[in-house]
Amino acid sequence: MKQIFDMHNHSSFSEDSQSAMGDMIGRAAQLGLKGIAITDHVDFNPGDEGYQYFDERGFSREFEIQKSCFNSELKILKGVEFDAPNLYPDHFHFFTESDYDVLIGSVHMIGDVFVGNREKLRHLSLEGLFNAYYKNMLEMVESGGFDILAHMDFPKRYYHCSKGDPELIDAILEVIIDKSIALEINTSPLRKNYNETSPGRDIIKRFQQLGGQKITIGSDAHSPEHIVRDFDYVLNMLKDFPGLIPGYFEKRSFFVS
Ligand SMILES: [Zn+2]
Ligand SMILES: [Zn+2]
């Protein structure tokens, strides 16, 4: 596992994680990874449970302390997973102007409702829900400014299927390719009773067909035992997609891993 970078991980600076940052990094060091990115949630949607939870100063202070505690064999990368940066440009601007290694853009919400809340989204068919989600995502990627597009078909973590208008999906892929945004392969659905990564094989194939190359792999771990979980599955799958280049971001630049 020497060349492995897990580019998507959370610590207790995220509302939905209780894991100490040092424990997350310690686990990565113990596993002999090449690198780990700590990418805590930054949420400014008032409907999000993590609304304004992120303590940027505390996070930066803890990150520096932890980084100094580990030897240089492990690259420890400073990041955030910012929900819909296009909707909160002033808040997002702070991060693009700071010393972050990697900025992940993601969509978790439809309006002010969490994507996984079927009850509140019952006015939408599942197809409609995925399309509403992808429309938000298209607006986000068109606005750009971040490095990695997270868990592209995220609703499947909750609905155990992947739907959506193929033209909308293509449009998102074309924009990220054009803007040099990496496509994340997120392994979390595999530990949530679903037999695919996010995105799954069909979207990954389309990304390659459209000329996409840059990818990152992320476990979306919220606790140490989930770091690099199911990366062997991804590495095996990538044998079918020789045009894709796995890598990592440091100081906002992409490097091949
Ligand atoms: Zn996410
Ligand atoms: Zn995440």
mmCIF file with all atom_site columns, all heavy atoms in Angstrom, residues 8 10 16 39 41 43 81 83 104-108 114 133 150-151 154 157-158 184 186 188 220 222, ligand 1:
data_model
loop_
_atom_site.group_PDB
_atom_site.id
_atom_site.type_symbol
_atom_site.label_atom_id
_atom_site.label_alt_id
_atom_site.label_comp_id
_atom_site.label_asym_id
_atom_site.label_entity_id
_atom_site.label_seq_id
_atom_site.pdbx_PDB_ins_code
_atom_site.Cartn_x
_atom_site.Cartn_y
_atom_site.Cartn_z
_atom_site.occupancy
_atom_site.B_iso_or_equiv
_atom_site.pdbx_formal_charge
_atom_site.auth_seq_id
_atom_site.auth_comp_id
_atom_site.auth_asym_id
_atom_site.auth_atom_id
_atom_site.pdbx_PDB_model_num
ATOM   1   N  N   . HIS A 1 8   ? -9.833  11.609 1.072  1.00 0.00 ? 8   HIS A N   1
ATOM   2   C  CA  . HIS A 1 8   ? -11.114 12.114 1.603  1.00 0.00 ? 8   HIS A CA  1
ATOM   3   C  C   . HIS A 1 8   ? -11.366 11.472 2.974  1.00 0.00 ? 8   HIS A C   1
ATOM   4   O  O   . HIS A 1 8   ? -11.735 10.295 3.050  1.00 0.00 ? 8   HIS A O   1
ATOM   5   C  CB  . HIS A 1 8   ? -12.233 11.766 0.605  1.00 0.00 ? 8   HIS A CB  1
ATOM   6   C  CG  . HIS A 1 8   ? -13.564 12.357 0.927  1.00 0.00 ? 8   HIS A CG  1
ATOM   7   N  ND1 . HIS A 1 8   ? -14.509 12.599 -0.049 1.00 0.00 ? 8   HIS A ND1 1
ATOM   8   C  CD2 . HIS A 1 8   ? -14.135 12.742 2.094  1.00 0.00 ? 8   HIS A CD2 1
ATOM   9   C  CE1 . HIS A 1 8   ? -15.599 13.117 0.510  1.00 0.00 ? 8   HIS A CE1 1
ATOM   10  N  NE2 . HIS A 1 8   ? -15.400 13.206 1.808  1.00 0.00 ? 8   HIS A NE2 1
ATOM   11  N  N   . HIS A 1 10  ? -12.517 12.436 7.341  1.00 0.00 ? 10  HIS A N   1
ATOM   12  C  CA  . HIS A 1 10  ? -13.078 13.395 8.291  1.00 0.00 ? 10  HIS A CA  1
ATOM   13  C  C   . HIS A 1 10  ? -12.559 13.138 9.703  1.00 0.00 ? 10  HIS A C   1
ATOM   14  O  O   . HIS A 1 10  ? -12.210 12.012 10.066 1.00 0.00 ? 10  HIS A O   1
ATOM   15  C  CB  . HIS A 1 10  ? -14.607 13.302 8.288  1.00 0.00 ? 10  HIS A CB  1
ATOM   16  C  CG  . HIS A 1 10  ? -15.203 13.676 6.964  1.00 0.00 ? 10  HIS A CG  1
ATOM   17  N  ND1 . HIS A 1 10  ? -15.551 14.966 6.654  1.00 0.00 ? 10  HIS A ND1 1
ATOM   18  C  CD2 . HIS A 1 10  ? -15.485 12.929 5.853  1.00 0.00 ? 10  HIS A CD2 1
ATOM   19  C  CE1 . HIS A 1 10  ? -16.033 15.001 5.422  1.00 0.00 ? 10  HIS A CE1 1
ATOM   20  N  NE2 . HIS A 1 10  ? -16.001 13.786 4.907  1.00 0.00 ? 10  HIS A NE2 1
ATOM   21  N  N   . ASP A 1 16  ? -20.278 15.192 11.875 1.00 0.00 ? 16  ASP A N   1
ATOM   22  C  CA  . ASP A 1 16  ? -20.671 13.780 11.867 1.00 0.00 ? 16  ASP A CA  1
ATOM   23  C  C   . ASP A 1 16  ? -19.510 12.818 12.138 1.00 0.00 ? 16  ASP A C   1
ATOM   24  O  O   . ASP A 1 16  ? -19.562 11.658 11.766 1.00 0.00 ? 16  ASP A O   1
ATOM   25  C  CB  . ASP A 1 16  ? -21.362 13.427 10.546 1.00 0.00 ? 16  ASP A CB  1
ATOM   26  C  CG  . ASP A 1 16  ? -20.503 13.752 9.322  1.00 0.00 ? 16  ASP A CG  1
ATOM   27  O  OD1 . ASP A 1 16  ? -19.396 14.313 9.488  1.00 0.00 ? 16  ASP A OD1 1
ATOM   28  O  OD2 . ASP A 1 16  ? -20.943 13.446 8.198  1.00 0.00 ? 16  ASP A OD2 1
ATOM   29  N  N   . THR A 1 39  ? -10.104 16.164 5.286  1.00 0.00 ? 39  THR A N   1
ATOM   30  C  CA  . THR A 1 39  ? -10.989 17.037 4.495  1.00 0.00 ? 39  THR A CA  1
ATOM   31  C  C   . THR A 1 39  ? -12.327 17.193 5.223  1.00 0.00 ? 39  THR A C   1
ATOM   32  O  O   . THR A 1 39  ? -13.328 16.583 4.836  1.00 0.00 ? 39  THR A O   1
ATOM   33  C  CB  . THR A 1 39  ? -11.205 16.418 3.090  1.00 0.00 ? 39  THR A CB  1
ATOM   34  O  OG1 . THR A 1 39  ? -11.684 15.069 3.252  1.00 0.00 ? 39  THR A OG1 1
ATOM   35  C  CG2 . THR A 1 39  ? -9.932  16.394 2.282  1.00 0.00 ? 39  THR A CG2 1
ATOM   36  N  N   . HIS A 1 41  ? -15.834 18.690 6.807  1.00 0.00 ? 41  HIS A N   1
ATOM   37  C  CA  . HIS A 1 41  ? -16.989 19.343 6.177  1.00 0.00 ? 41  HIS A CA  1
ATOM   38  C  C   . HIS A 1 41  ? -17.015 20.843 6.456  1.00 0.00 ? 41  HIS A C   1
ATOM   39  O  O   . HIS A 1 41  ? -16.815 21.268 7.597  1.00 0.00 ? 41  HIS A O   1
ATOM   40  C  CB  . HIS A 1 41  ? -18.298 18.790 6.753  1.00 0.00 ? 41  HIS A CB  1
ATOM   41  C  CG  . HIS A 1 41  ? -18.649 17.423 6.298  1.00 0.00 ? 41  HIS A CG  1
ATOM   42  N  ND1 . HIS A 1 41  ? -18.949 17.115 4.995  1.00 0.00 ? 41  HIS A ND1 1
ATOM   43  C  CD2 . HIS A 1 41  ? -18.774 16.257 6.984  1.00 0.00 ? 41  HIS A CD2 1
ATOM   44  C  CE1 . HIS A 1 41  ? -19.238 15.826 4.898  1.00 0.00 ? 41  HIS A CE1 1
ATOM   45  N  NE2 . HIS A 1 41  ? -19.135 15.277 6.078  1.00 0.00 ? 41  HIS A NE2 1
ATOM   46  N  N   . ASP A 1 43  ? -19.979 23.534 5.808  1.00 0.00 ? 43  ASP A N   1
ATOM   47  C  CA  . ASP A 1 43  ? -21.378 23.610 5.367  1.00 0.00 ? 43  ASP A CA  1
ATOM   48  C  C   . ASP A 1 43  ? -21.978 24.957 5.734  1.00 0.00 ? 43  ASP A C   1
ATOM   49  O  O   . ASP A 1 43  ? -21.991 25.330 6.909  1.00 0.00 ? 43  ASP A O   1
ATOM   50  C  CB  . ASP A 1 43  ? -22.212 22.510 6.047  1.00 0.00 ? 43  ASP A CB  1
ATOM   51  C  CG  . ASP A 1 43  ? -21.675 21.114 5.756  1.00 0.00 ? 43  ASP A CG  1
ATOM   52  O  OD1 . ASP A 1 43  ? -21.480 20.803 4.572  1.00 0.00 ? 43  ASP A OD1 1
ATOM   53  O  OD2 . ASP A 1 43  ? -21.433 20.353 6.717  1.00 0.00 ? 43  ASP A OD2 1
ATOM   54  N  N   . GLU A 1 81  ? -13.926 19.540 2.664  1.00 0.00 ? 81  GLU A N   1
ATOM   55  C  CA  . GLU A 1 81  ? -14.999 19.158 1.744  1.00 0.00 ? 81  GLU A CA  1
ATOM   56  C  C   . GLU A 1 81  ? -16.058 20.247 1.868  1.00 0.00 ? 81  GLU A C   1
ATOM   57  O  O   . GLU A 1 81  ? -16.766 20.323 2.873  1.00 0.00 ? 81  GLU A O   1
ATOM   58  C  CB  . GLU A 1 81  ? -15.578 17.790 2.121  1.00 0.00 ? 81  GLU A CB  1
ATOM   59  C  CG  . GLU A 1 81  ? -16.725 17.390 1.202  1.00 0.00 ? 81  GLU A CG  1
ATOM   60  C  CD  . GLU A 1 81  ? -17.402 16.072 1.577  1.00 0.00 ? 81  GLU A CD  1
ATOM   61  O  OE1 . GLU A 1 81  ? -17.116 15.526 2.664  1.00 0.00 ? 81  GLU A OE1 1
ATOM   62  O  OE2 . GLU A 1 81  ? -18.228 15.606 0.780  1.00 0.00 ? 81  GLU A OE2 1
ATOM   63  N  N   . ASP A 1 83  ? -19.383 22.105 0.846  1.00 0.00 ? 83  ASP A N   1
ATOM   64  C  CA  . ASP A 1 83  ? -20.671 21.852 0.206  1.00 0.00 ? 83  ASP A CA  1
ATOM   65  C  C   . ASP A 1 83  ? -21.078 23.065 -0.644 1.00 0.00 ? 83  ASP A C   1
ATOM   66  O  O   . ASP A 1 83  ? -21.201 24.174 -0.133 1.00 0.00 ? 83  ASP A O   1
ATOM   67  C  CB  . ASP A 1 83  ? -21.731 21.578 1.289  1.00 0.00 ? 83  ASP A CB  1
ATOM   68  C  CG  . ASP A 1 83  ? -23.095 21.266 0.687  1.00 0.00 ? 83  ASP A CG  1
ATOM   69  O  OD1 . ASP A 1 83  ? -23.306 20.103 0.306  1.00 0.00 ? 83  ASP A OD1 1
ATOM   70  O  OD2 . ASP A 1 83  ? -23.922 22.189 0.576  1.00 0.00 ? 83  ASP A OD2 1
ATOM   71  N  N   . ILE A 1 104 ? -12.220 20.015 -1.833 1.00 0.00 ? 104 ILE A N   1
ATOM   72  C  CA  . ILE A 1 104 ? -13.193 19.091 -2.441 1.00 0.00 ? 104 ILE A CA  1
ATOM   73  C  C   . ILE A 1 104 ? -14.524 19.820 -2.551 1.00 0.00 ? 104 ILE A C   1
ATOM   74  O  O   . ILE A 1 104 ? -14.976 20.448 -1.594 1.00 0.00 ? 104 ILE A O   1
ATOM   75  C  CB  . ILE A 1 104 ? -13.366 17.824 -1.565 1.00 0.00 ? 104 ILE A CB  1
ATOM   76  C  CG1 . ILE A 1 104 ? -12.052 17.052 -1.460 1.00 0.00 ? 104 ILE A CG1 1
ATOM   77  C  CG2 . ILE A 1 104 ? -14.470 16.934 -2.119 1.00 0.00 ? 104 ILE A CG2 1
ATOM   78  C  CD1 . ILE A 1 104 ? -12.151 15.795 -0.582 1.00 0.00 ? 104 ILE A CD1 1
ATOM   79  N  N   . GLY A 1 105 ? -15.154 19.736 -3.734 1.00 0.00 ? 105 GLY A N   1
ATOM   80  C  CA  . GLY A 1 105 ? -16.492 20.291 -3.913 1.00 0.00 ? 105 GLY A CA  1
ATOM   81  C  C   . GLY A 1 105 ? -17.502 19.159 -3.890 1.00 0.00 ? 105 GLY A C   1
ATOM   82  O  O   . GLY A 1 105 ? -17.294 18.122 -4.521 1.00 0.00 ? 105 GLY A O   1
ATOM   83  N  N   . SER A 1 106 ? -18.586 19.347 -3.149 1.00 0.00 ? 106 SER A N   1
ATOM   84  C  CA  . SER A 1 106 ? -19.590 18.285 -3.121 1.00 0.00 ? 106 SER A CA  1
ATOM   85  C  C   . SER A 1 106 ? -20.986 18.864 -2.995 1.00 0.00 ? 106 SER A C   1
ATOM   86  O  O   . SER A 1 106 ? -21.169 20.012 -2.597 1.00 0.00 ? 106 SER A O   1
ATOM   87  C  CB  . SER A 1 106 ? -19.320 17.291 -1.984 1.00 0.00 ? 106 SER A CB  1
ATOM   88  O  OG  . SER A 1 106 ? -19.285 17.943 -0.756 1.00 0.00 ? 106 SER A OG  1
ATOM   89  N  N   . VAL A 1 107 ? -21.956 18.063 -3.402 1.00 0.00 ? 107 VAL A N   1
ATOM   90  C  CA  . VAL A 1 107 ? -23.368 18.422 -3.247 1.00 0.00 ? 107 VAL A CA  1
ATOM   91  C  C   . VAL A 1 107 ? -23.989 17.388 -2.315 1.00 0.00 ? 107 VAL A C   1
ATOM   92  O  O   . VAL A 1 107 ? -23.872 16.185 -2.555 1.00 0.00 ? 107 VAL A O   1
ATOM   93  C  CB  . VAL A 1 107 ? -24.099 18.409 -4.609 1.00 0.00 ? 107 VAL A CB  1
ATOM   94  C  CG1 . VAL A 1 107 ? -25.585 18.703 -4.412 1.00 0.00 ? 107 VAL A CG1 1
ATOM   95  C  CG2 . VAL A 1 107 ? -23.483 19.413 -5.573 1.00 0.00 ? 107 VAL A CG2 1
ATOM   96  N  N   . HIS A 1 108 ? -24.587 17.874 -1.225 1.00 0.00 ? 108 HIS A N   1
ATOM   97  C  CA  . HIS A 1 108 ? -25.299 16.984 -0.287 1.00 0.00 ? 108 HIS A CA  1
ATOM   98  C  C   . HIS A 1 108 ? -26.769 17.349 -0.174 1.00 0.00 ? 108 HIS A C   1
ATOM   99  O  O   . HIS A 1 108 ? -27.526 16.636 0.479  1.00 0.00 ? 108 HIS A O   1
ATOM   100 C  CB  . HIS A 1 108 ? -24.694 17.077 1.120  1.00 0.00 ? 108 HIS A CB  1
ATOM   101 C  CG  . HIS A 1 108 ? -23.247 16.730 1.214  1.00 0.00 ? 108 HIS A CG  1
ATOM   102 N  ND1 . HIS A 1 108 ? -22.261 17.668 1.414  1.00 0.00 ? 108 HIS A ND1 1
ATOM   103 C  CD2 . HIS A 1 108 ? -22.608 15.539 1.136  1.00 0.00 ? 108 HIS A CD2 1
ATOM   104 C  CE1 . HIS A 1 108 ? -21.076 17.071 1.450  1.00 0.00 ? 108 HIS A CE1 1
ATOM   105 N  NE2 . HIS A 1 108 ? -21.261 15.786 1.283  1.00 0.00 ? 108 HIS A NE2 1
ATOM   106 N  N   . PHE A 1 114 ? -31.470 17.628 3.036  1.00 0.00 ? 114 PHE A N   1
ATOM   107 C  CA  . PHE A 1 114 ? -30.420 16.645 2.794  1.00 0.00 ? 114 PHE A CA  1
ATOM   108 C  C   . PHE A 1 114 ? -30.922 15.605 1.777  1.00 0.00 ? 114 PHE A C   1
ATOM   109 O  O   . PHE A 1 114 ? -32.061 15.125 1.873  1.00 0.00 ? 114 PHE A O   1
ATOM   110 C  CB  . PHE A 1 114 ? -30.039 15.967 4.111  1.00 0.00 ? 114 PHE A CB  1
ATOM   111 C  CG  . PHE A 1 114 ? -28.935 14.964 3.970  1.00 0.00 ? 114 PHE A CG  1
ATOM   112 C  CD1 . PHE A 1 114 ? -27.661 15.357 3.608  1.00 0.00 ? 114 PHE A CD1 1
ATOM   113 C  CD2 . PHE A 1 114 ? -29.181 13.609 4.171  1.00 0.00 ? 114 PHE A CD2 1
ATOM   114 C  CE1 . PHE A 1 114 ? -26.640 14.431 3.458  1.00 0.00 ? 114 PHE A CE1 1
ATOM   115 C  CE2 . PHE A 1 114 ? -28.170 12.669 4.023  1.00 0.00 ? 114 PHE A CE2 1
ATOM   116 C  CZ  . PHE A 1 114 ? -26.895 13.087 3.670  1.00 0.00 ? 114 PHE A CZ  1
ATOM   117 N  N   . TYR A 1 133 ? -30.474 16.761 -8.083 1.00 0.00 ? 133 TYR A N   1
ATOM   118 C  CA  . TYR A 1 133 ? -29.128 16.687 -7.503 1.00 0.00 ? 133 TYR A CA  1
ATOM   119 C  C   . TYR A 1 133 ? -28.066 17.031 -8.559 1.00 0.00 ? 133 TYR A C   1
ATOM   120 O  O   . TYR A 1 133 ? -27.168 17.850 -8.324 1.00 0.00 ? 133 TYR A O   1
ATOM   121 C  CB  . TYR A 1 133 ? -28.928 15.278 -6.938 1.00 0.00 ? 133 TYR A CB  1
ATOM   122 C  CG  . TYR A 1 133 ? -27.540 14.992 -6.454 1.00 0.00 ? 133 TYR A CG  1
ATOM   123 C  CD1 . TYR A 1 133 ? -27.131 15.389 -5.186 1.00 0.00 ? 133 TYR A CD1 1
ATOM   124 C  CD2 . TYR A 1 133 ? -26.622 14.335 -7.269 1.00 0.00 ? 133 TYR A CD2 1
ATOM   125 C  CE1 . TYR A 1 133 ? -25.845 15.142 -4.748 1.00 0.00 ? 133 TYR A CE1 1
ATOM   126 C  CE2 . TYR A 1 133 ? -25.342 14.084 -6.836 1.00 0.00 ? 133 TYR A CE2 1
ATOM   127 C  CZ  . TYR A 1 133 ? -24.955 14.485 -5.578 1.00 0.00 ? 133 TYR A CZ  1
ATOM   128 O  OH  . TYR A 1 133 ? -23.683 14.246 -5.153 1.00 0.00 ? 133 TYR A OH  1
ATOM   129 N  N   . ALA A 1 150 ? -16.502 15.371 -5.472 1.00 0.00 ? 150 ALA A N   1
ATOM   130 C  CA  . ALA A 1 150 ? -16.720 14.231 -4.564 1.00 0.00 ? 150 ALA A CA  1
ATOM   131 C  C   . ALA A 1 150 ? -17.924 13.390 -4.987 1.00 0.00 ? 150 ALA A C   1
ATOM   132 O  O   . ALA A 1 150 ? -18.868 13.892 -5.596 1.00 0.00 ? 150 ALA A O   1
ATOM   133 C  CB  . ALA A 1 150 ? -16.950 14.741 -3.143 1.00 0.00 ? 150 ALA A CB  1
ATOM   134 N  N   . HIS A 1 151 ? -17.858 12.133 -4.621 1.00 0.00 ? 151 HIS A N   1
ATOM   135 C  CA  . HIS A 1 151 ? -18.965 11.150 -4.697 1.00 0.00 ? 151 HIS A CA  1
ATOM   136 C  C   . HIS A 1 151 ? -20.092 11.565 -5.643 1.00 0.00 ? 151 HIS A C   1
ATOM   137 O  O   . HIS A 1 151 ? -21.191 11.905 -5.223 1.00 0.00 ? 151 HIS A O   1
ATOM   138 C  CB  . HIS A 1 151 ? -19.522 10.854 -3.310 1.00 0.00 ? 151 HIS A CB  1
ATOM   139 C  CG  . HIS A 1 151 ? -19.806 12.039 -2.406 1.00 0.00 ? 151 HIS A CG  1
ATOM   140 N  ND1 . HIS A 1 151 ? -20.653 13.064 -2.765 1.00 0.00 ? 151 HIS A ND1 1
ATOM   141 C  CD2 . HIS A 1 151 ? -19.371 12.341 -1.165 1.00 0.00 ? 151 HIS A CD2 1
ATOM   142 C  CE1 . HIS A 1 151 ? -20.729 13.933 -1.770 1.00 0.00 ? 151 HIS A CE1 1
ATOM   143 N  NE2 . HIS A 1 151 ? -19.941 13.523 -0.795 1.00 0.00 ? 151 HIS A NE2 1
ATOM   144 N  N   . PHE A 1 154 ? -23.832 10.510 -5.265 1.00 0.00 ? 154 PHE A N   1
ATOM   145 C  CA  . PHE A 1 154 ? -24.031 10.407 -3.816 1.00 0.00 ? 154 PHE A CA  1
ATOM   146 C  C   . PHE A 1 154 ? -25.409 9.890  -3.358 1.00 0.00 ? 154 PHE A C   1
ATOM   147 O  O   . PHE A 1 154 ? -25.489 9.115  -2.400 1.00 0.00 ? 154 PHE A O   1
ATOM   148 C  CB  . PHE A 1 154 ? -23.761 11.791 -3.224 1.00 0.00 ? 154 PHE A CB  1
ATOM   149 C  CG  . PHE A 1 154 ? -23.941 11.958 -1.756 1.00 0.00 ? 154 PHE A CG  1
ATOM   150 C  CD1 . PHE A 1 154 ? -23.060 11.378 -0.856 1.00 0.00 ? 154 PHE A CD1 1
ATOM   151 C  CD2 . PHE A 1 154 ? -24.992 12.721 -1.247 1.00 0.00 ? 154 PHE A CD2 1
ATOM   152 C  CE1 . PHE A 1 154 ? -23.213 11.568 0.506  1.00 0.00 ? 154 PHE A CE1 1
ATOM   153 C  CE2 . PHE A 1 154 ? -25.153 12.915 0.112  1.00 0.00 ? 154 PHE A CE2 1
ATOM   154 C  CZ  . PHE A 1 154 ? -24.265 12.334 0.986  1.00 0.00 ? 154 PHE A CZ  1
ATOM   155 N  N   . ARG A 1 157 ? -26.039 6.280  -2.060 1.00 0.00 ? 157 ARG A N   1
ATOM   156 C  CA  . ARG A 1 157 ? -25.693 5.810  -0.721 1.00 0.00 ? 157 ARG A CA  1
ATOM   157 C  C   . ARG A 1 157 ? -26.971 5.588  0.099  1.00 0.00 ? 157 ARG A C   1
ATOM   158 O  O   . ARG A 1 157 ? -27.003 4.795  1.025  1.00 0.00 ? 157 ARG A O   1
ATOM   159 C  CB  . ARG A 1 157 ? -24.829 6.876  -0.042 1.00 0.00 ? 157 ARG A CB  1
ATOM   160 C  CG  . ARG A 1 157 ? -23.515 6.320  0.453  1.00 0.00 ? 157 ARG A CG  1
ATOM   161 C  CD  . ARG A 1 157 ? -22.434 7.335  0.650  1.00 0.00 ? 157 ARG A CD  1
ATOM   162 N  NE  . ARG A 1 157 ? -22.620 8.264  1.742  1.00 0.00 ? 157 ARG A NE  1
ATOM   163 C  CZ  . ARG A 1 157 ? -21.636 9.047  2.215  1.00 0.00 ? 157 ARG A CZ  1
ATOM   164 N  NH1 . ARG A 1 157 ? -20.419 8.958  1.700  1.00 0.00 ? 157 ARG A NH1 1
ATOM   165 N  NH2 . ARG A 1 157 ? -21.847 9.889  3.179  1.00 0.00 ? 157 ARG A NH2 1
ATOM   166 N  N   . TYR A 1 158 ? -28.027 6.307  -0.245 1.00 0.00 ? 158 TYR A N   1
ATOM   167 C  CA  . TYR A 1 158 ? -29.283 6.239  0.513  1.00 0.00 ? 158 TYR A CA  1
ATOM   168 C  C   . TYR A 1 158 ? -30.374 5.482  -0.223 1.00 0.00 ? 158 TYR A C   1
ATOM   169 O  O   . TYR A 1 158 ? -31.270 4.917  0.407  1.00 0.00 ? 158 TYR A O   1
ATOM   170 C  CB  . TYR A 1 158 ? -29.756 7.664  0.858  1.00 0.00 ? 158 TYR A CB  1
ATOM   171 C  CG  . TYR A 1 158 ? -28.670 8.379  1.607  1.00 0.00 ? 158 TYR A CG  1
ATOM   172 C  CD1 . TYR A 1 158 ? -27.728 9.153  0.938  1.00 0.00 ? 158 TYR A CD1 1
ATOM   173 C  CD2 . TYR A 1 158 ? -28.507 8.172  2.983  1.00 0.00 ? 158 TYR A CD2 1
ATOM   174 C  CE1 . TYR A 1 158 ? -26.669 9.743  1.620  1.00 0.00 ? 158 TYR A CE1 1
ATOM   175 C  CE2 . TYR A 1 158 ? -27.457 8.754  3.666  1.00 0.00 ? 158 TYR A CE2 1
ATOM   176 C  CZ  . TYR A 1 158 ? -26.537 9.539  2.969  1.00 0.00 ? 158 TYR A CZ  1
ATOM   177 O  OH  . TYR A 1 158 ? -25.484 10.092 3.643  1.00 0.00 ? 158 TYR A OH  1
ATOM   178 N  N   . GLU A 1 184 ? -13.430 12.077 -8.136 1.00 0.00 ? 184 GLU A N   1
ATOM   179 C  CA  . GLU A 1 184 ? -13.177 11.201 -6.983 1.00 0.00 ? 184 GLU A CA  1
ATOM   180 C  C   . GLU A 1 184 ? -13.874 9.853  -7.167 1.00 0.00 ? 184 GLU A C   1
ATOM   181 O  O   . GLU A 1 184 ? -15.026 9.800  -7.588 1.00 0.00 ? 184 GLU A O   1
ATOM   182 C  CB  . GLU A 1 184 ? -13.711 11.853 -5.703 1.00 0.00 ? 184 GLU A CB  1
ATOM   183 C  CG  . GLU A 1 184 ? -13.607 10.928 -4.488 1.00 0.00 ? 184 GLU A CG  1
ATOM   184 C  CD  . GLU A 1 184 ? -14.295 11.506 -3.271 1.00 0.00 ? 184 GLU A CD  1
ATOM   185 O  OE1 . GLU A 1 184 ? -15.525 11.341 -3.135 1.00 0.00 ? 184 GLU A OE1 1
ATOM   186 O  OE2 . GLU A 1 184 ? -13.599 12.129 -2.462 1.00 0.00 ? 184 GLU A OE2 1
ATOM   187 N  N   . ASN A 1 186 ? -15.125 7.300  -4.691 1.00 0.00 ? 186 ASN A N   1
ATOM   188 C  CA  . ASN A 1 186 ? -15.411 7.257  -3.250 1.00 0.00 ? 186 ASN A CA  1
ATOM   189 C  C   . ASN A 1 186 ? -15.887 5.856  -2.892 1.00 0.00 ? 186 ASN A C   1
ATOM   190 O  O   . ASN A 1 186 ? -16.844 5.339  -3.489 1.00 0.00 ? 186 ASN A O   1
ATOM   191 C  CB  . ASN A 1 186 ? -16.485 8.325  -2.980 1.00 0.00 ? 186 ASN A CB  1
ATOM   192 C  CG  . ASN A 1 186 ? -16.832 8.494  -1.522 1.00 0.00 ? 186 ASN A CG  1
ATOM   193 O  OD1 . ASN A 1 186 ? -17.212 7.536  -0.858 1.00 0.00 ? 186 ASN A OD1 1
ATOM   194 N  ND2 . ASN A 1 186 ? -16.724 9.708  -1.029 1.00 0.00 ? 186 ASN A ND2 1
ATOM   195 N  N   . SER A 1 188 ? -17.169 4.740  -0.063 1.00 0.00 ? 188 SER A N   1
ATOM   196 C  CA  . SER A 1 188 ? -18.094 4.585  1.070  1.00 0.00 ? 188 SER A CA  1
ATOM   197 C  C   . SER A 1 188 ? -19.355 3.758  0.768  1.00 0.00 ? 188 SER A C   1
ATOM   198 O  O   . SER A 1 188 ? -19.823 3.044  1.661  1.00 0.00 ? 188 SER A O   1
ATOM   199 C  CB  . SER A 1 188 ? -18.468 5.954  1.656  1.00 0.00 ? 188 SER A CB  1
ATOM   200 O  OG  . SER A 1 188 ? -19.218 6.709  0.737  1.00 0.00 ? 188 SER A OG  1
ATOM   201 N  N   . ASP A 1 220 ? -13.719 8.432  2.383  1.00 0.00 ? 220 ASP A N   1
ATOM   202 C  CA  . ASP A 1 220 ? -14.739 9.202  3.117  1.00 0.00 ? 220 ASP A CA  1
ATOM   203 C  C   . ASP A 1 220 ? -14.866 8.647  4.542  1.00 0.00 ? 220 ASP A C   1
ATOM   204 O  O   . ASP A 1 220 ? -15.966 8.583  5.106  1.00 0.00 ? 220 ASP A O   1
ATOM   205 C  CB  . ASP A 1 220 ? -16.087 9.137  2.388  1.00 0.00 ? 220 ASP A CB  1
ATOM   206 C  CG  . ASP A 1 220 ? -16.913 10.396 2.548  1.00 0.00 ? 220 ASP A CG  1
ATOM   207 O  OD1 . ASP A 1 220 ? -16.611 11.184 3.461  1.00 0.00 ? 220 ASP A OD1 1
ATOM   208 O  OD2 . ASP A 1 220 ? -17.864 10.568 1.776  1.00 0.00 ? 220 ASP A OD2 1
ATOM   209 N  N   . HIS A 1 222 ? -14.918 8.394  8.423  1.00 0.00 ? 222 HIS A N   1
ATOM   210 C  CA  . HIS A 1 222 ? -15.224 9.263  9.560  1.00 0.00 ? 222 HIS A CA  1
ATOM   211 C  C   . HIS A 1 222 ? -14.645 8.667  10.838 1.00 0.00 ? 222 HIS A C   1
ATOM   212 O  O   . HIS A 1 222 ? -14.824 9.213  11.923 1.00 0.00 ? 222 HIS A O   1
ATOM   213 C  CB  . HIS A 1 222 ? -16.737 9.467  9.690  1.00 0.00 ? 222 HIS A CB  1
ATOM   214 C  CG  . HIS A 1 222 ? -17.323 10.368 8.624  1.00 0.00 ? 222 HIS A CG  1
ATOM   215 N  ND1 . HIS A 1 222 ? -17.299 10.046 7.277  1.00 0.00 ? 222 HIS A ND1 1
ATOM   216 C  CD2 . HIS A 1 222 ? -17.921 11.588 8.700  1.00 0.00 ? 222 HIS A CD2 1
ATOM   217 C  CE1 . HIS A 1 222 ? -17.879 11.028 6.582  1.00 0.00 ? 222 HIS A CE1 1
ATOM   218 N  NE2 . HIS A 1 222 ? -18.256 11.971 7.417  1.00 0.00 ? 222 HIS A NE2 1
HETATM 219 ZN ZN  . ZN  B 2 .   ? -19.720 14.274 1.154  1.00 0.00 ? 1   ZN  B ZN  1
#
